[in-house]
Amino acid sequence: MSHASTLSLNTNPASRLLWRWVAILYFLSGLTSLAYEVLWARMLSLQFGVSIFGVVLTIAAFMIGLGLGSLAGVRWVRMISKPLAWFALLETAIAFYSLLLPSLVQAMGGWMSGVATRMTLVQWYLLQGGEALCLLVLPAFAMGLSFALVLKVVERTPLSLGKLYGLNTVGGAAGALFPLWSLSALGWTNSVRTVALIGLSIGVAGLTLSYIYRASQSGNVPSKIQQTRPPLSALFVYAGIGAGSIMLEVCWIRLYGMVLLRTEYVLGVILAVFLLGIAFGSMLLPRVHKQWLTMILPLATGAGVLASLWLLPAVSAWVEQNQFRSFLGATWTQALILGLFTFPVTLSLGAWLPLLAGRLAGTEASGVWLYGANCLGGATGAIIACLLLIPSLGSAGTVAIAGLAIASLGMFWVNSRRVWLAIPIMMMVAWHLRSMPPVHVLLPKIEVNSRDLFLYEDAIAMTHVIQQQDGQRVLLSDLQRMDASSDPSAVEIQMDQARLALLLHPAPHSVLFLGLGTGISMAGSVPFPDLQRSAVELSRGAIIAARTWFAPVNRNIMDQAQTRRDDARHYLITSKNKYDVIIGDLFHPDLAGMGALLSVQQFQRARDHLNADGVFVQWLALNQFDIQSLKVVLRSFRQVFPDAQLFMDGMHLAMVGPHRRFLGAGALLANLRRMTAQEQSQATGGEGAWTWLGRYWGPIPETAGPVQDEWVPYIEFSLPRARYDGSVNLPALLGWMLEHRPDVDTAGKILAVGKNDREKFGRAYFATELTMRAWIASIQGEPAKAGKLIWLAYQANRQDRWIADALADNMLESLPEATQHGLSEREALQKILKVSPNFVGALRAFWHMELAAGNSREAERYRSRLLAVSPFDAEARTIR
C-alpha cells in the first residue's frame, strides 16, 4: 500500500515542513473564523436592533453550519483526492463571501423593513432568525467541511486530532480579540476586508503548498476518515454536552459581562478566555491516563460550573472595590480572574473531543462525527437558553442546569457507579445557587444595605428594582446601569428631559420617548395640553417597573401613554409615524451595543420621523464623556441637524435638533401662552420661561474629525479606555464647555430675544454660567469659592431650582454657624425653605423639631409635605 495519500511521518523532510505549514494555516483559519463570527454578530445586531439576539443567532447559525459541514465532510472526503487544495479553495470562497455579505444584508434589510411593519415582535424575531440562517449557514458549512479536509491532510503525522483542534481554537481566541482593535481603528467594513485578506492569503498559501507537494496528495489510498460513524448514543450524548457548553458561553457573557468591563470589549474577552481553555484542554489533558481522565472530566466540569456561580459575588465585589490604573491593566487583570474561575470547565470541554475520539474506532473519523454532533447540539443549546431557560430560570439557573447536564451526560463513558453519587450532591448545590445573588451582595460598596424588590430577566436584559437604605427606589438594568431613581432631585432631573424638549416646540401634540426607564421623564409631559404620548422600551422588566414600582413618582403616567415593547432603532426603521417631539433618553454610551444610539444613522432615523416643525432632543450625561468623545457625538448630531443647538440642565447636555430651523425663544413663549398660569408653572417645573432660555449653550459648531457611525464605531471603544486612563475629567470638560459658550448678546440674537426681555434673559444666562463655575470649584475642592459663586447665581436668578437647591444645601450644612450668629434653628430652617420650598433636609429637620416639642399636628404637616416630595422616604413612611 502506498502512503502517498497523506503526509508521511517518515524521513521525508518536505512532508515534515508541509504539515507544519498546514498547522499554521489551520491556526489562521481559526483566527478568521472567530473574527468573522464577532464581526457578523455586530452586523446582525445592528440589522436587528437587538444586541443579544444578534449574538445568539450568529452563534446558532455558525454552529449549525459547522455541524452540517463536518458531517458532510465525513462522506465527501473519500471522493476528494487533493484535500489541501480543496481546503484552500474553501477559505478563498469564504473570504469572497464575507466581502459580499454586507451588500446581501443591505438588500435583505430593505425588504425586511417593509414587511416588519405588519409583524409582531415575535414574528420579527423569527424572521431575523431565518435571515441569519440563510446568510451564515453557508460560510459556516464551508468551515466545518474544512475540518475533515485538514484531518485527511495530516493523517500519519505528529498532528493529532487534539493538537489540530487546539491550534485552531487558539487561533479562534486571537480572532475573537482582533475586532476589538480593528473596529475602532478601521471600522466594520475595513475590518471585514482585513480578515478577508487574511483568508485569501490562507487560500493562496494552501494552493501553493498543494501544488508544490502535489505528490504527497495523491488520492490512491483510502483515508481513515472513511470509517463508519460512532454509535448514535455517543453522538447524542456529545451533542448534549455541546448544548450545555454553549448555554454556559451565552450565560457567562451575560453574568460576567455585567460585573466586568461591561463594554464592547466584554464579548471578545470572554470568548477568548473560553476558547483558550478549550484549546489547552484538547492539547494537554488527553496525554494523561485516559481511564482516570474519563472519570474526572464530568466531575471537574460540574464542580467548576457551580464554583463559577458561587464565586460570582466575590468577583463582582472585587471589581467594584478595585481601582485600575489603565484600561489595559483592567482588561488583562479581569480576563485573568475570569480564566482562573472558568478554566476547570473549559479545559474539560476541550479534552472531551480527542479523548472520546480515541476511545472509538478511527480517531479522525470519530472526531469529525463527534465535532459535527457537538456543533449541532451547541446551536440547539444557544436557542434554548435564549428563548426558554433564561426567561424562565434566569442566567444563574441556566448555568446551574447546563453544568448538571454536562456532568450527567459525561458520566455516559464512566464505568464506576460510585462516581454517580456526585450528581445528587451537585444537584443540592445547584439548587442553592440557582438564583441571582442580591444586589447588595454583588455591589457591597455602592448598594450596601439595599433590598431587592423586583427582578425580571429575559434574553434582552436583567432588570432590578432595589430599595436603598433611605427608602428610595432605583432601577438597575444589567446590574450596574442605573437608569433612574425615586430620589426627589433625580425625579426633577428626569422630568426636565421632557420639559425642555416640549417647551422648544410652539404647540406639541405628539411626543415619542425613545426609552421609558421608570416613566418619570414621561411624567414631565403631563402639564402640556392635548398631547399624545408614545414610548418605545425594549426591556419588559422596565415596563413592568414603571407601571408598578414607580407609579407613585411617575404620576401613573403609563395610563396616559401608548407604550410599545421594541428596540428604538428597529422601531424607527419600521414605523411610519411622525411626531412633533422625539426625546432620546439618557444611557451609558460605553456599554455594549449602546454607542449605535448616538450614531449618524440613528439621528437620521429620528429626523425622518419628525413633523415639519418637529424637534429631536438627545440627552447626554457629561460625566460619562471625555472631550474628544463628546466632540465626536456633537459632530455626528450636527451632520444630521445643521441648525442643532445645545442646552444645559445640571450636568446633562441636551442636543436639540430641529427638523427645519431652530425657532428660538419665540417657540417657547408661544407654547406657554396656550396654558393657564398654573399649567405654565408646572410645564417649567416652577422655574419660569427665562430660566430655561438661560440654560442655552449656543449652536453646535462645525468641526472636522470622525463621527460616530454604526459601521465605523468610535465612542464604544474610546470611552472605556478614557474612563480607565483618566481622560474622563469632568472639570476639564465643563471648562471646555464654558470656553465655547457664546456671549450673552450673541445668544440673545440667536434666540431672537425681544428688547424688553433682554434683562431677564441676561440674568438667567449669567446665573447658569456662575452655577457651572461653582460646580467646577466644588469638584476641585474649593468649597468657599463654590459657595460664593452659588450665592451670586441666586441673586441673579432665584427661580433656578439647581441654584436654589445648591444654596439650600450650603445653608443646611452651615446651620450650626447660623445659630451662633443669633438665628434660632427654626428661623434658619425657615430661611432655607424660603430659598427652596421643597428642600427635603429642611422639611425633615422641621418634622423632627416639632416631634421633639410635642407638636404632633405640626409634625404631621411637615411629614406630609416630606412624603409629597419624597413618597418612598423610609423614615417618613414610618408612623410615629
Side-chain angles (χ1 to χ4, degrees), residues 784-807:
K785 179 180 179 181
K788 291 179 180 179
L789 289 170
I790 285 295
W791 173 250
L792 290 174
Y794 182 71
Q795 299 305 310
N797 182 15
R798 301 191 176 196
Q799 285 188 286
D800 191 308
R801 183 182 62 254
W802 291 107
I803 299 171
D805 286 349
L807 181 59

Side-chain angles (χ1 to χ4, degrees), residues 35 67 170 186 205 212 243 357 372 389-390 451 506 534 569 765 773:
V170 171
L186 306 175
I212 294 174
L389 293 182
I390 291 178
R451 182 166 65 93
S534 302
R569 285 172 291 173
Y765 194 81
R773 294 189 182 278

Side-chain angles (χ1 to χ4, degrees), residues 191-240:
S191 294
V192 172
R193 290 171 180 169
T194 302
V195 177
L197 181 61
I198 298 173
L200 290 173
S201 301
I202 296 172
V204 171
L207 288 172
T208 302
L209 289 174
S210 177
Y211 175 77
I212 294 174
Y213 297 98
R214 59 188 181 278
S216 298
Q217 297 188 49
S218 168
N220 298 326
V221 178
S223 169
K224 291 191 292 181
I225 300 181
Q226 297 174 24
Q227 303 293 331
T228 57
R229 63 169 172 76
L232 282 175
S233 57
L235 294 178
F236 277 110
V237 169
Y238 197 52

Side-chain angles (χ1 to χ4, degrees), residues 96-114:
F96 279 118
Y97 182 82
S98 69
L99 295 174
L100 293 174
L101 191 58
S103 298
L104 293 175
V105 171
Q106 186 175 6
M108 293 187 68
W111 172 78
M112 290 180 66
S113 298

Side-chain angles (χ1 to χ4, degrees), residues 60 279 398 444 485:
T398 302
S485 166

Side-chain angles (χ1 to χ4, degrees), residues 763-779:
R763 294 176 68 87
Y765 194 81
F766 182 57
T768 301
E769 180 172 331
L770 288 173
T771 305
M772 180 170 284
R773 294 189 182 278
W775 287 335
I776 295 174
S778 178
I779 296 171

Side-chain angles (χ1 to χ4, degrees), residues 87 294 362 793 809 837:
F87 164 75
T294 303
D809 270 327

Side-chain angles (χ1 to χ4, degrees), residues 50 163 405 497 546 552 566 591 601 660 663 699 716 735 753 776 782:
V50 184
K163 290 180 180 178
Q497 294 179 36
D566 203 346
L591 294 181
Q601 291 88 342
R660 293 192 298 190
L663 299 179
E716 51 264 75
V753 176
I776 295 174
E782 301 178 274

